[in-house]
């Protein structure tokens, strides 16, 4: 246990990565309330929205309104996803603290998801990264399908390293390695992470794990064993992937915090307030939280 990190940083991606996959758009006021409740719970890194075409992602069509509606707390980093220069230009006036660009280790997924090759996606990101840096913003990269793809199957770590290197070459500051369809297991995740760590320092590598096959917490533990201490998670287990049939949401933030608490690892997050946030957004969506911890603690309160 002594080799595990003593502190972990969690980025809650529920307001963006989670809600963008809902069939019906969530009201702006509810999105802003969710962000507020996450802050009250102690989250200091929140992925708020994305600046993409509402034609493709109508659930994020109120991006400017959401950024205007949130109450900004000192010390909280608000990130937004911007896939191209048009998105960045729209995002900058809303004053995000960080932007996110996303690529894929799979050529087929890149074509299906953003309608271009991996190389072309990097070419699109290059001016975005430069302009974001010029505006004083950090750039976080998200690498989708790092261990498996719904179209190509298993992804070799060589493909991961290729895109990691391309992202590094254009100046991306942080590399998030994502198991988009949740097929990863601990050793496969460690193999992908090792490739990212060849090009980025430990504190600039993170994991983003979907829980389709119930492996997300195991994969996070495998990363902790490597010293990785930065992870994405989604309150109430919100989300999915429209390009990967059966893919569930990102691992629930409540479940991750419960595990980390049990390991004596500090997150700065109040799990009871976090469960409140998950219950709130789940009620808005008209369904129970996906989070097992959320459901268990809510049931305990009601007993």
């Amino acid at each position: 246990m002594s080799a595990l990190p003593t502190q972990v940083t969690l980025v809650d991606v529920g307001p963006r990565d989670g809600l963008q996959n809902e069939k019906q758009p969530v009201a702006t006021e509810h999105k802003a309330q969710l962000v507020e409740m996450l802050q009250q719970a102690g989250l200091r890194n929140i992925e708020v929205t994305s600046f993409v075409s509402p034609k493709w992602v109508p659930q994020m069509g109120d991006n400017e309104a959401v950024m205007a509606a949130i109450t900004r707390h000192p010390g909280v980093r608000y990130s937004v996803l911007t896939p191209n220069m048009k998105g960045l230009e729209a995002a900058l006036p809303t004053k995000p603290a960080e932007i996110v660009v996303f690529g894929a280790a799979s050529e087929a997924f890149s074509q299906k998801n953003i309608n271009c090759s991996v190389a072309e996606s990097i070419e699109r990101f290059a001016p975005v990264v430069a302009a974001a840096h010029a505006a004083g913003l950090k750039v976080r990269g998200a690498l989708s399908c790092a261990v498996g793809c719904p179209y190509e199957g298993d992804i070799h770590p060589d493909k991961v390293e290729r895109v990691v290197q391309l992202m590094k070459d254009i100046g991306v500051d942080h590399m998030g390695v994502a198991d988009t369809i949740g097929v990863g297991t601990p050793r496969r995740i460690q193999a992908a992470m090792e490739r990212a760590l060849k090009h980025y320092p430990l504190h600039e590598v993170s994991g983003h794990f979907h829980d389709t096959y119930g492996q997300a917490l195991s994969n996070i533990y495998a990363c902790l064993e490597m010293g990785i201490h930065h992870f994405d998670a989604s309150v109430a287990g919100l989300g999915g992937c429209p390009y990967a049939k059966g893919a569930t949401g990102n691992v629930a933030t409540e479940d991750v915090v419960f595990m980390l608490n049990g390991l004596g690892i500090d997150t700065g997050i109040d799990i009871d307030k976090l469960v409140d946030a998950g219950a709130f957004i789940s009620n808005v969506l008209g369904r129970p939280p996906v989070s097992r911890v959320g459901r268990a603690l809510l049931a305990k309160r009601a007993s």
Side-chain angles (χ1 to χ4, degrees):
M1 292 297 181
S2 61
L4 300 182
T6 58
Q7 291 184 311
V8 160
T9 297
L10 295 180
V11 179
D12 201 295
V13 300
R16 197 283 300 176
D17 192 25
L19 296 182
Q20 78 170 18
N21 287 296
E22 292 299 320
K23 292 181 179 179
Q24 297 298 323
V26 174
T28 300
E29 63 186 274
H30 290 147
K31 292 176 182 176
Q33 179 64 25
L34 176 59
V35 171
E36 179 60 26
M37 294 182 78
L38 291 173
Q39 296 180 115
Q40 294 291 347
L43 268 299
R44 291 296 173 261
N45 295 270
I46 303 172
E47 197 168 288
V48 179
T49 188
S50 62
F51 286 81
V52 297
S53 170
K55 175 183 177 182
W56 299 110
V57 188
Q59 298 87 340
M60 298 287 107
D62 61 347
N63 41 37
E64 293 181 10
V66 170
M67 290 296 283
I70 61 174
T71 300
R72 307 202 181 210
H73 292 214
V76 178
R77 181 179 293 273
Y78 306 95
S79 59
V80 300
L81 187 146
T82 59
N84 50 42
M85 280 301 296
K86 184 176 181 180
L88 180 66
E89 289 165 359
L92 287 177
T94 71
K95 301 188 183 306
E98 178 182 70
I99 69 153
V100 183
V101 295
F102 60 96
S106 158
E107 286 288 350
F109 190 84
S110 183
Q111 290 287 356
K112 293 281 188 179
N113 193 26
I114 54 177
N115 200 34
C116 68
S117 69
V118 170
E120 288 169 336
S121 72
I122 299 298
E123 290 178 8
R124 290 182 188 178
F125 300 151
V128 176
V129 174
H133 285 163
L137 300 181
K138 184 174 182 176
V139 180
R140 181 157 50 94
L143 179 55
S144 302
C145 294
V147 292
C149 168
Y151 312 107
E152 291 186 20
D154 290 348
I155 297 297
H156 194 278
D158 286 350
K159 292 185 177 181
V160 174
E161 186 170 359
R162 174 199 172 213
V163 185
V164 168
Q165 181 64 72
L166 290 171
M167 291 260 198
K168 182 72 172 179
D169 289 345
I170 62 170
V172 171
D173 301 301
H174 178 99
M175 181 51 54
V177 178
D179 180 14
T180 309
I181 59 172
V183 296
T185 49
R187 291 291 178 258
R188 294 177 66 198
I189 292 296
Q190 288 179 334
M193 289 295 184
E194 285 170 357
R195 298 304 182 97
L197 289 168
K198 287 175 64 176
H199 303 277
Y200 283 87
L202 190 63
H203 67 280
E204 294 294 3
V205 172
S206 61
H208 176 114
F209 305 128
H210 288 238
D211 204 31
T212 311
Y213 289 84
Q215 300 298 298
L217 290 177
S218 299
N219 292 337
I220 289 174
Y221 191 90
C223 291
L224 292 171
E225 290 182 320
M226 301 174 74
I228 294 169
H229 52 274
H230 196 297
F231 301 96
D232 293 351
S234 181
V235 64
L238 297 174
C241 178
Y243 301 96
K245 291 182 180 179
T248 59
N250 200 311
V251 63
T253 313
E254 300 95 314
D255 296 356
V256 178
V257 171
F258 185 84
M259 181 183 78
L260 295 175
N261 284 349
L263 292 169
I265 297 173
D266 178 38
T267 63
I269 297 171
D270 183 319
I271 196 165
D272 288 312
K273 291 182 178 179
L274 182 61
V275 168
D276 291 340
F280 163 75
I281 195 60
S282 297
N283 184 60
V284 168
L285 296 170
R287 62 171 186 259
V290 173
S291 164
R292 291 180 175 85
V293 168
R295 293 201 303 267
L297 291 181
L298 288 170
K300 185 177 180 181
R301 290 179 188 177
S303 63

